[in-house]
Amino acid sequence: EQLRAGFERARFSIWSRLKNREVEAGAATLDIKNGTLWASAINSGVRVPVFENIGPSMYMDDTDGKNIFLGMRATQELSQHKVRLGTLPATAGRWLSCARQKLWWMSPDVGSRDDVIPPETQFFLADVGEGMYVLVLPLVGNSFRTALWGAEKGAIDVRLESGDPAVKTKLVATSVLISAGTDPFLLLERAFAAAADRLGTFRIRAEKQLPPSLDVFGWCTWDAFYSAVEPQGVKDGLRQLAAGGTPSRMLILDDGWQSTDNDADYRFSDSEVRGDVGASELAG
């Protein structure tokens, strides 16, 4: 884990320089003093706390001054850890989060400092006062994934898990990214670029080439047939689109998610899937 973290630190330093990442005028520098994470706007004298009472298990693994990557260090090797990240300051107001509300879906939620953020939060943006915003992104490392969980009023925990009881650790160097700034839109662009440079597993939108399929009108069959996709229905749908003056130039046959071994609570029986073909036959 320490070797991998060292590689990620080097990649973050090299890529952020080679890609000449822009820093918006409203960006803030971050520093930790006496258990409090402070944000200081680079274009003004504004300096506010963004997190207080940083948990003893959290440590600063890397920073470029404007983005901080926190790691988690525990005393016992476990496959799942739940530790305190910190507490929002009393000046904090509204927040926005995106959290998993099903095995495969996320949904947005909003609240204020005294509201508990949802379990399995994957994205957290908060107004911490004096025009300053803080963004918290839980990250997916090599073997462990991180999510935010609300605790008592204003407090946020970090849950890190491997998903396998046999895969244990007491050190997760890549756990949380924290950034701050006065423009929440530009803040998001900078923070996601920093996460991309650190992880090396994805590219930001500005670096991606749009596929040609976006230039044509297409049809996805899911809302028409759900899991009961049949050839005749697809043919009829294509004919009706063409007759209406909007012919489909791209077709997506979508009959639902592939079943996996960890979704037993979400599975259907053979009779609930289709009457003429069993699930075992569909699986081959």
Side-chain angles (χ1 to χ4, degrees), residues 43 65 115 117 138 150 155 161 181 183 204 209-210 231 237 267 273 282:
N43 62 348
D115 296 318
I117 72 169
E161 56 187 343
D183 186 321
I204 59 175
Q209 182 177 354
L210 299 180
R267 292 190 181 204
V273 178
L282 289 173

Side-chain angles (χ1 to χ4, degrees), residues 13-36:
S13 176
I14 294 170
W15 281 18
S16 58
R17 288 200 306 268
L18 289 178
K19 295 182 179 182
N20 195 25
R21 298 295 191 196
E22 293 185 6
V23 177
E24 76 277 15
T29 60
L30 296 169
D31 62 279
I32 300 177
K33 289 186 177 180
N34 300 321
T36 297

Side-chain angles (χ1 to χ4, degrees), residues 97-102 105-109 118-123:
S97 73
C98 287
R100 291 205 311 168
Q101 42 91 6
K102 285 188 177 180
W105 293 124
M106 287 199 301
S107 63
D109 201 355
E120 283 294 316
T121 289
Q122 311 290 303
F123 167 97

Side-chain angles (χ1 to χ4, degrees), residues 45-105:
V46 173
R47 178 173 170 83
V48 296
V50 295
F51 270 106
E52 299 172 342
N53 304 313
I54 299 293
S57 296
M58 306 303 295
Y59 72 96
M60 185 172 66
D61 185 74
D62 196 14
T63 181
D64 62 357
K66 302 172 186 64
N67 305 285
I68 283 185
F69 292 92
L70 295 181
M72 187 282 305
R73 184 183 290 114
T75 57
Q76 183 180 3
E77 289 195 341
L78 298 171
S79 61
Q80 183 183 102
H81 296 268
K82 191 172 184 181
V83 300
R84 178 57 48 89
L85 172 61
T87 304
L88 291 170
T91 56
R94 301 169 300 168
W95 53 255
L96 167 68
S97 73
C98 287
R100 291 205 311 168
Q101 42 91 6
K102 285 188 177 180
L103 187 66
W104 42 76
W105 293 124

